[in-house]
Amino acid sequence: MTEPRLPATTSDAVDAQRAYYRETAGTYDAMRECEAEHGTALALIVPYLARLGSASVLDTGCGTGRAMRAIASALPGVRVHGNDPSPELLRVATEQHGIPASALDCAGSDPLPYADGSFDAVIATGIMHHVPDPGAVVAEMLRVARQAIFISDCNIYGSGRLPVRLAKLALARVGLLRPLNRMRRGGHDWFESEGDGVVWSYSVFDSRGQIAAACAETLVIPTAPRPSAAMPMLQSTHCLVCGFKERLPDVE
């Protein structure tokens, strides 16, 4: 049996992922019911938004609006907006979940179609491993956010046997992980994951330095459904990274 061929170019890979969303829009929510990591991340994000006094939040790559609904339910006074390049997923958000079309834009995350500092906070849950240039998306999030950004995503250095995790981290530190993966994948930076479409190898820790350079305070919190990790970079398969442009206000 011949294995399916990977998309040939980065543009083809992006198109293939959008086709995946188009084909799975009707079952998209059901396919992700078991993804507890993003629910854990949202439960952590909400208190930070309240602590900051955030009045507006952008969910970039909002899909069917899961994070938008969670924030709107927990913080009714906050204006929540979303953008996503898939019209099919946005249709589910409006038709099945009642999110107003006026709160949604059919647009990608690089660039974001908003002026500098348009929102108090910008969040992204599970999109970074589906984009070819996470750094560009993070830069746009930082540009649009006045107070903070939050990224919930996977951590490739926290999966596999310990020697594999250490090897991936060491190779990444010297700039060899991506070339090695490209060689393993027949010259591609991406691969196809069953149930998740086209995927790029990614860790939230790859974005931490960029976020720390633009923020006064940065936190990384493990969100994988297991006991809290003492060393999340090597022990947690999913994490939430938070970047605050000013030091967090003290809790009274």
Tab-separated table of all heavy atoms in Angstrom, residues 45 49 54 56-61 71 81 83 109 112 114 117-125 127-128 137-138 140-152 241-243 245:
chain	number	residue	atom	x	y	z
A	45	ILE	N	-5.923	30.946	32.454
A	45	ILE	CA	-5.901	32.264	31.810
A	45	ILE	C	-6.942	33.198	32.409
A	45	ILE	O	-6.672	34.387	32.640
A	45	ILE	CB	-6.134	32.101	30.285
A	45	ILE	CG1	-4.912	31.439	29.633
A	45	ILE	CG2	-6.424	33.451	29.631
A	45	ILE	CD1	-5.147	31.006	28.188
A	49	LEU	N	-6.654	37.218	33.416
A	49	LEU	CA	-7.404	38.290	32.765
A	49	LEU	C	-8.131	39.146	33.805
A	49	LEU	O	-8.154	40.378	33.705
A	49	LEU	CB	-8.402	37.707	31.766
A	49	LEU	CG	-7.816	36.956	30.554
A	49	LEU	CD1	-8.934	36.329	29.733
A	49	LEU	CD2	-6.987	37.898	29.690
A	54	SER	N	-8.547	43.023	32.288
A	54	SER	CA	-8.663	43.053	30.825
A	54	SER	C	-10.110	43.274	30.408
A	54	SER	O	-11.017	42.614	30.914
A	54	SER	CB	-8.145	41.740	30.227
A	54	SER	OG	-6.785	41.530	30.566
A	56	SER	N	-10.838	43.480	26.919
A	56	SER	CA	-11.002	42.916	25.572
A	56	SER	C	-9.968	41.827	25.336
A	56	SER	O	-8.815	41.940	25.778
A	56	SER	CB	-10.869	44.009	24.510
A	56	SER	OG	-9.597	44.635	24.594
A	57	VAL	N	-10.395	40.767	24.653
A	57	VAL	CA	-9.528	39.623	24.390
A	57	VAL	C	-9.711	39.189	22.942
A	57	VAL	O	-10.840	39.074	22.459
A	57	VAL	CB	-9.858	38.439	25.327
A	57	VAL	CG1	-8.996	37.221	24.981
A	57	VAL	CG2	-9.656	38.833	26.782
A	58	LEU	N	-8.607	38.921	22.264
A	58	LEU	CA	-8.639	38.320	20.928
A	58	LEU	C	-8.208	36.874	21.033
A	58	LEU	O	-7.157	36.568	21.604
A	58	LEU	CB	-7.703	39.066	19.978
A	58	LEU	CG	-7.533	38.412	18.591
A	58	LEU	CD1	-8.831	38.494	17.787
A	58	LEU	CD2	-6.375	39.047	17.820
A	59	ASP	N	-9.012	35.976	20.475
A	59	ASP	CA	-8.641	34.565	20.342
A	59	ASP	C	-8.245	34.356	18.892
A	59	ASP	O	-9.094	34.281	18.006
A	59	ASP	CB	-9.824	33.673	20.722
A	59	ASP	CG	-9.515	32.194	20.547
A	59	ASP	OD1	-8.330	31.845	20.370
A	59	ASP	OD2	-10.460	31.377	20.576
A	60	THR	N	-6.942	34.302	18.628
A	60	THR	CA	-6.488	34.141	17.255
A	60	THR	C	-6.378	32.659	16.906
A	60	THR	O	-5.874	31.863	17.698
A	60	THR	CB	-5.157	34.876	17.005
A	60	THR	OG1	-4.856	34.825	15.599
A	60	THR	CG2	-4.002	34.285	17.794
A	61	GLY	N	-6.894	32.304	15.722
A	61	GLY	CA	-7.042	30.892	15.383
A	61	GLY	C	-8.160	30.284	16.200
A	61	GLY	O	-8.048	29.170	16.712
A	71	ILE	N	-14.152	32.056	27.905
A	71	ILE	CA	-13.826	33.356	28.502
A	71	ILE	C	-15.084	34.195	28.697
A	71	ILE	O	-15.286	34.823	29.746
A	71	ILE	CB	-12.795	34.087	27.622
A	71	ILE	CG1	-11.457	33.348	27.677
A	71	ILE	CG2	-12.623	35.536	28.086
A	71	ILE	CD1	-10.431	33.848	26.689
A	81	HIS	N	-13.277	38.632	20.971
A	81	HIS	CA	-13.282	38.624	19.509
A	81	HIS	C	-12.433	37.451	19.033
A	81	HIS	O	-11.572	36.957	19.761
A	81	HIS	CB	-12.705	39.937	18.978
A	81	HIS	CG	-13.112	40.260	17.577
A	81	HIS	ND1	-14.282	40.923	17.269
A	81	HIS	CD2	-12.510	39.996	16.385
A	81	HIS	CE1	-14.380	41.068	15.960
A	81	HIS	NE2	-13.305	40.512	15.396
A	83	ASN	N	-10.529	35.422	15.387
A	83	ASN	CA	-10.231	35.349	13.952
A	83	ASN	C	-9.727	33.950	13.603
A	83	ASN	O	-9.083	33.281	14.429
A	83	ASN	CB	-9.194	36.402	13.541
A	83	ASN	CG	-7.786	36.070	14.002
A	83	ASN	OD1	-7.462	36.278	15.177
A	83	ASN	ND2	-6.950	35.568	13.103
A	109	SER	N	-3.520	34.492	11.134
A	109	SER	CA	-2.848	35.103	12.290
A	109	SER	C	-1.562	35.821	11.917
A	109	SER	O	-0.940	36.450	12.773
A	109	SER	CB	-2.549	34.014	13.329
A	109	SER	OG	-3.738	33.384	13.759
A	112	LEU	N	-2.129	39.766	11.530
A	112	LEU	CA	-3.441	39.970	12.124
A	112	LEU	C	-4.039	41.270	11.573
A	112	LEU	O	-3.331	42.275	11.467
A	112	LEU	CB	-3.332	40.067	13.648
A	112	LEU	CG	-3.077	38.754	14.396
A	112	LEU	CD1	-2.722	39.028	15.851
A	112	LEU	CD2	-4.282	37.836	14.297
A	114	TYR	N	-5.544	43.786	12.604
A	114	TYR	CA	-5.913	44.723	13.657
A	114	TYR	C	-4.756	45.683	13.918
A	114	TYR	O	-3.583	45.343	13.718
A	114	TYR	CB	-6.271	43.976	14.953
A	114	TYR	CG	-7.230	42.838	14.745
A	114	TYR	CD1	-6.809	41.517	14.842
A	114	TYR	CD2	-8.566	43.080	14.421
A	114	TYR	CE1	-7.688	40.466	14.634
A	114	TYR	CE2	-9.444	42.035	14.206
A	114	TYR	CZ	-9.002	40.732	14.310
A	114	TYR	OH	-9.859	39.695	14.088
A	117	GLY	N	-2.038	47.308	19.548
A	117	GLY	CA	-2.707	47.494	20.830
A	117	GLY	C	-4.214	47.504	20.754
A	117	GLY	O	-4.884	48.168	21.542
A	118	SER	N	-4.783	46.730	19.835
A	118	SER	CA	-6.246	46.723	19.663
A	118	SER	C	-6.976	45.983	20.776
A	118	SER	O	-8.163	46.221	21.001
A	118	SER	CB	-6.620	46.074	18.316
A	118	SER	OG	-6.183	46.870	17.246
A	119	PHE	N	-6.278	45.062	21.456
A	119	PHE	CA	-6.906	44.250	22.500
A	119	PHE	C	-6.024	44.247	23.743
A	119	PHE	O	-4.795	44.347	23.647
A	119	PHE	CB	-7.112	42.808	22.018
A	119	PHE	CG	-8.016	42.692	20.826
A	119	PHE	CD1	-7.491	42.756	19.534
A	119	PHE	CD2	-9.389	42.533	20.981
A	119	PHE	CE1	-8.322	42.656	18.424
A	119	PHE	CE2	-10.223	42.434	19.880
A	119	PHE	CZ	-9.683	42.498	18.594
A	120	ASP	N	-6.646	44.101	24.897
A	120	ASP	CA	-5.864	43.997	26.123
A	120	ASP	C	-5.028	42.715	26.125
A	120	ASP	O	-3.864	42.726	26.521
A	120	ASP	CB	-6.783	44.028	27.346
A	120	ASP	CG	-7.329	45.421	27.624
A	120	ASP	OD1	-6.650	46.404	27.274
A	120	ASP	OD2	-8.442	45.520	28.167
A	121	ALA	N	-5.632	41.620	25.713
A	121	ALA	CA	-4.926	40.337	25.716
A	121	ALA	C	-5.218	39.579	24.436
A	121	ALA	O	-6.288	39.729	23.836
A	121	ALA	CB	-5.341	39.501	26.930
A	122	VAL	N	-4.258	38.759	24.018
A	122	VAL	CA	-4.422	37.899	22.843
A	122	VAL	C	-4.062	36.483	23.255
A	122	VAL	O	-3.030	36.264	23.904
A	122	VAL	CB	-3.538	38.352	21.669
A	122	VAL	CG1	-3.774	37.457	20.452
A	122	VAL	CG2	-3.806	39.811	21.304
A	123	ILE	N	-4.908	35.519	22.896
A	123	ILE	CA	-4.645	34.125	23.236
A	123	ILE	C	-4.594	33.283	21.969
A	123	ILE	O	-5.176	33.632	20.944
A	123	ILE	CB	-5.709	33.553	24.198
A	123	ILE	CG1	-7.063	33.414	23.490
A	123	ILE	CG2	-5.830	34.423	25.438
A	123	ILE	CD1	-8.081	32.663	24.315
A	124	ALA	N	-3.873	32.169	22.051
A	124	ALA	CA	-3.818	31.193	20.959
A	124	ALA	C	-3.772	29.810	21.592
A	124	ALA	O	-2.864	29.527	22.379
A	124	ALA	CB	-2.597	31.416	20.084
A	125	THR	N	-4.747	28.968	21.284
A	125	THR	CA	-4.781	27.623	21.855
A	125	THR	C	-4.657	26.597	20.730
A	125	THR	O	-5.549	26.444	19.907
A	125	THR	CB	-6.081	27.383	22.642
A	125	THR	OG1	-7.207	27.568	21.778
A	125	THR	CG2	-6.201	28.352	23.797
A	127	ILE	N	-2.673	26.406	18.021
A	127	ILE	CA	-2.487	26.766	16.609
A	127	ILE	C	-1.023	26.785	16.191
A	127	ILE	O	-0.722	26.647	15.003
A	127	ILE	CB	-3.135	28.116	16.264
A	127	ILE	CG1	-2.355	29.286	16.851
A	127	ILE	CG2	-4.586	28.165	16.726
A	127	ILE	CD1	-2.730	30.624	16.267
A	128	MET	N	-0.094	26.981	17.128
A	128	MET	CA	1.300	27.200	16.745
A	128	MET	C	1.920	26.008	16.021
A	128	MET	O	2.785	26.179	15.158
A	128	MET	CB	2.149	27.561	17.966
A	128	MET	CG	1.792	28.901	18.583
A	128	MET	SD	2.021	30.272	17.424
A	128	MET	CE	1.425	31.619	18.436
A	137	VAL	N	3.718	34.692	14.063
A	137	VAL	CA	2.423	34.772	14.742
A	137	VAL	C	2.597	35.373	16.134
A	137	VAL	O	1.811	36.234	16.559
A	137	VAL	CB	1.763	33.383	14.826
A	137	VAL	CG1	0.455	33.457	15.610
A	137	VAL	CG2	1.505	32.831	13.425
A	138	VAL	N	3.621	34.944	16.847
A	138	VAL	CA	3.883	35.508	18.180
A	138	VAL	C	4.138	37.008	18.083
A	138	VAL	O	3.644	37.789	18.904
A	138	VAL	CB	5.074	34.795	18.848
A	138	VAL	CG1	5.468	35.498	20.144
A	138	VAL	CG2	4.740	33.335	19.123
A	140	GLU	N	2.963	39.073	15.907
A	140	GLU	CA	1.685	39.732	15.672
A	140	GLU	C	0.847	39.786	16.947
A	140	GLU	O	0.200	40.800	17.232
A	140	GLU	CB	0.917	39.010	14.565
A	140	GLU	CG	1.406	39.333	13.168
A	140	GLU	CD	1.113	40.785	12.820
A	140	GLU	OE1	-0.017	41.091	12.407
A	140	GLU	OE2	2.021	41.620	12.985
A	141	MET	N	0.854	38.715	17.721
A	141	MET	CA	0.138	38.714	18.993
A	141	MET	C	0.676	39.803	19.912
A	141	MET	O	-0.086	40.549	20.541
A	141	MET	CB	0.248	37.341	19.659
A	141	MET	CG	-0.450	36.219	18.911
A	141	MET	SD	-0.176	34.582	19.669
A	141	MET	CE	-1.094	34.748	21.217
A	142	LEU	N	2.000	39.911	19.984
A	142	LEU	CA	2.618	40.926	20.835
A	142	LEU	C	2.292	42.330	20.336
A	142	LEU	O	2.104	43.251	21.134
A	142	LEU	CB	4.131	40.711	20.860
A	142	LEU	CG	4.620	39.490	21.653
A	142	LEU	CD1	6.061	39.173	21.312
A	142	LEU	CD2	4.460	39.713	23.157
A	143	ARG	N	2.227	42.499	19.053
A	143	ARG	CA	1.908	43.823	18.485
A	143	ARG	C	0.492	44.259	18.828
A	143	ARG	O	0.241	45.426	19.164
A	143	ARG	CB	2.083	43.774	16.962
A	143	ARG	CG	1.728	45.086	16.257
A	143	ARG	CD	1.834	44.968	14.753
A	143	ARG	NE	0.835	44.070	14.183
A	143	ARG	CZ	-0.435	44.409	13.949
A	143	ARG	NH1	-0.882	45.608	14.268
A	143	ARG	NH2	-1.273	43.525	13.411
A	144	VAL	N	-0.449	43.331	18.762
A	144	VAL	CA	-1.866	43.644	18.923
A	144	VAL	C	-2.267	43.735	20.394
A	144	VAL	O	-3.233	44.408	20.743
A	144	VAL	CB	-2.715	42.598	18.170
A	144	VAL	CG1	-4.189	42.710	18.501
A	144	VAL	CG2	-2.504	42.751	16.669
A	145	ALA	N	-1.513	43.083	21.279
A	145	ALA	CA	-1.879	43.024	22.702
A	145	ALA	C	-1.319	44.210	23.479
A	145	ALA	O	-0.139	44.539	23.374
A	145	ALA	CB	-1.379	41.728	23.319
A	146	ARG	N	-2.152	44.825	24.311
A	146	ARG	CA	-1.703	45.902	25.195
A	146	ARG	C	-1.109	45.356	26.489
A	146	ARG	O	-0.146	45.912	27.015
A	146	ARG	CB	-2.876	46.835	25.542
A	146	ARG	CG	-3.296	47.760	24.422
A	146	ARG	CD	-4.337	48.767	24.900
A	146	ARG	NE	-5.619	48.145	25.241
A	146	ARG	CZ	-6.645	48.061	24.401
A	146	ARG	NH1	-6.533	48.532	23.168
A	146	ARG	NH2	-7.777	47.506	24.772
A	147	GLN	N	-1.725	44.292	27.031
A	147	GLN	CA	-1.336	43.823	28.359
A	147	GLN	C	-0.587	42.489	28.357
A	147	GLN	O	0.418	42.346	29.062
A	147	GLN	CB	-2.588	43.663	29.230
A	147	GLN	CG	-3.332	44.940	29.532
A	147	GLN	CD	-4.591	44.659	30.343
A	147	GLN	OE1	-5.205	43.590	30.229
A	147	GLN	NE2	-4.985	45.615	31.179
A	148	ALA	N	-1.103	41.502	27.603
A	148	ALA	CA	-0.556	40.152	27.758
A	148	ALA	C	-0.900	39.274	26.570
A	148	ALA	O	-1.856	39.539	25.832
A	148	ALA	CB	-1.117	39.509	29.038
A	149	ILE	N	-0.101	38.219	26.397
A	149	ILE	CA	-0.454	37.164	25.454
A	149	ILE	C	-0.366	35.823	26.176
A	149	ILE	O	0.392	35.663	27.144
A	149	ILE	CB	0.439	37.152	24.195
A	149	ILE	CG1	1.866	36.673	24.512
A	149	ILE	CG2	0.450	38.519	23.521
A	149	ILE	CD1	2.695	36.380	23.274
A	150	PHE	N	-1.150	34.860	25.702
A	150	PHE	CA	-1.194	33.518	26.283
A	150	PHE	C	-1.177	32.505	25.141
A	150	PHE	O	-1.986	32.597	24.217
A	150	PHE	CB	-2.464	33.326	27.108
A	150	PHE	CG	-2.621	34.308	28.228
A	150	PHE	CD1	-3.297	35.510	28.033
A	150	PHE	CD2	-2.094	34.046	29.489
A	150	PHE	CE1	-3.459	36.425	29.069
A	150	PHE	CE2	-2.246	34.955	30.531
A	150	PHE	CZ	-2.926	36.152	30.316
A	151	ILE	N	-0.265	31.532	25.217
A	151	ILE	CA	-0.171	30.498	24.191
A	151	ILE	C	-0.239	29.134	24.863
A	151	ILE	O	0.607	28.792	25.692
A	151	ILE	CB	1.131	30.610	23.381
A	151	ILE	CG1	1.172	31.949	22.618
A	151	ILE	CG2	1.264	29.442	22.410
A	151	ILE	CD1	2.502	32.238	21.955
A	152	SER	N	-1.265	28.365	24.498
A	152	SER	CA	-1.397	26.986	24.969
A	152	SER	C	-1.081	26.062	23.797
A	152	SER	O	-1.752	26.102	22.767
A	152	SER	CB	-2.827	26.737	25.462
A	152	SER	OG	-3.042	25.360	25.725
A	241	VAL	N	2.226	29.224	28.019
A	241	VAL	CA	3.208	30.283	28.221
A	241	VAL	C	2.467	31.613	28.266
A	241	VAL	O	1.596	31.889	27.429
A	241	VAL	CB	4.304	30.277	27.128
A	241	VAL	CG1	3.723	30.427	25.742
A	241	VAL	CG2	5.330	31.375	27.385
A	242	CYS	N	2.773	32.408	29.272
A	242	CYS	CA	2.109	33.697	29.500
A	242	CYS	C	3.159	34.796	29.429
A	242	CYS	O	4.213	34.694	30.059
A	242	CYS	CB	1.459	33.736	30.885
A	242	CYS	SG	0.545	32.256	31.366
A	243	GLY	N	2.851	35.834	28.679
A	243	GLY	CA	3.734	36.987	28.609
A	243	GLY	C	2.993	38.237	29.032
A	243	GLY	O	1.965	38.579	28.439
A	245	LYS	N	3.165	42.338	29.654
A	245	LYS	CA	3.959	43.490	29.243
A	245	LYS	C	4.369	44.367	30.413
A	245	LYS	O	5.353	45.107	30.320
A	245	LYS	CB	3.194	44.288	28.189
A	245	LYS	CG	3.051	43.492	26.880
A	245	LYS	CD	2.697	44.356	25.705
A	245	LYS	CE	2.827	43.569	24.408
A	245	LYS	NZ	2.516	44.388	23.222
